[in-house]
Amino acid sequence: MDDHPVMRDGLRAVIEQEPDMEVVGEAADGREAIEQFHKLLPDIMLIDLQMPDVDGLQAITTIRSEFPDATIIVLTTFPGDARVVRAFTLGATSYLLKTARRDEIIKAVRSALCGRHTMAPEVAQEIASHTGQEGLTEREVGVLKLVAEGHSNRAIATALCISEDTVKARMKSIMSKLGAEDRTHAVMIAIRRGFMESQP
């Protein structure tokens, strides 16, 4: 399930070269992916994380809540450690990048059918590089999202119904956890690592 037709066409071509595999459905966004899963009940679903309407993480959450045994492989361009951890926590079986070779995708599909997890080497390296580091809290992410929108500490305090001192304390914690030099740097790191999405 991917919002780019070219990507879906390429995946279909790769999978259909395998004599024991068949593409039974496709979707251009998360909502359609959920509908297709209900309708087709595939053995495995490959899904991107960034899609219009309903994103991949929301789709995984919905599908796994109704079908706890669903086997879902994430195939995306985002290696950020926070995003990967969220995907696995929500029930993804494997996490691959779109730069994966054909044989790697097929191997991951076969492994997933046997209940084995696969993680792209780049993704494993990203996670390893942040092992032992404390993640951002939901409240810190809320502050950082407003920073990304260009709001001042005072405006953030008003929007979140907290004091300006609390905003400053959260920003200090965020900068420390991310090793950021300033507010803009903190936003960039948070987006790269998957704590938040980039602003449209």
Side-chain angles (χ1 to χ4, degrees), residues 102-116:
R102 252 187 324 204
D103 60 311
E104 291 172 330
I105 293 170
I106 294 301
K107 184 177 178 184
V109 169
R110 294 193 186 285
S111 293
L113 281 170
C114 298
R116 293 192 301 270

Side-chain angles (χ1 to χ4, degrees), residues 80-151:
D81 62 301
R83 196 176 281 112
V84 176
V85 170
R86 268 202 314 273
F88 278 117
T89 301
L90 294 173
T93 304
S94 298
Y95 198 106
L96 300 175
L97 298 180
K98 288 183 179 179
T99 53
R101 296 188 321 265
R102 252 187 324 204
D103 60 311
E104 291 172 330
I105 293 170
I106 294 301
K107 184 177 178 184
V109 169
R110 294 193 186 285
S111 293
L113 281 170
C114 298
R116 293 192 301 270
H117 299 279
T118 303
M119 186 184 301
E122 305 93 327
V123 172
Q125 184 176 355
E126 179 76 13
I127 289 175
S129 70
H130 298 292
T131 299
Q133 294 179 2
E134 192 178 354
L136 298 182
T137 67
E138 194 174 322
R139 289 179 176 173
E140 288 169 342
V141 171
V143 167
L144 206 50
K145 284 180 179 177
L146 292 172
V147 168
E149 292 172 8
H151 296 286

Side-chain angles (χ1 to χ4, degrees), residues 58-70:
Q58 292 170 308
I60 292 170
T61 301
T62 301
I63 291 167
R64 291 278 300 186
S65 69
E66 297 177 39
F67 303 94
D69 296 328

Side-chain angles (χ1 to χ4, degrees), residues 54-79:
V54 173
D55 71 23
L57 291 172
Q58 292 170 308
I60 292 170
T61 301
T62 301
I63 291 167
R64 291 278 300 186
S65 69
E66 297 177 39
F67 303 94
D69 296 328
T71 302
I72 301 172
I73 296 176
V74 172
L75 184 61
T76 190
T77 56
F78 304 103

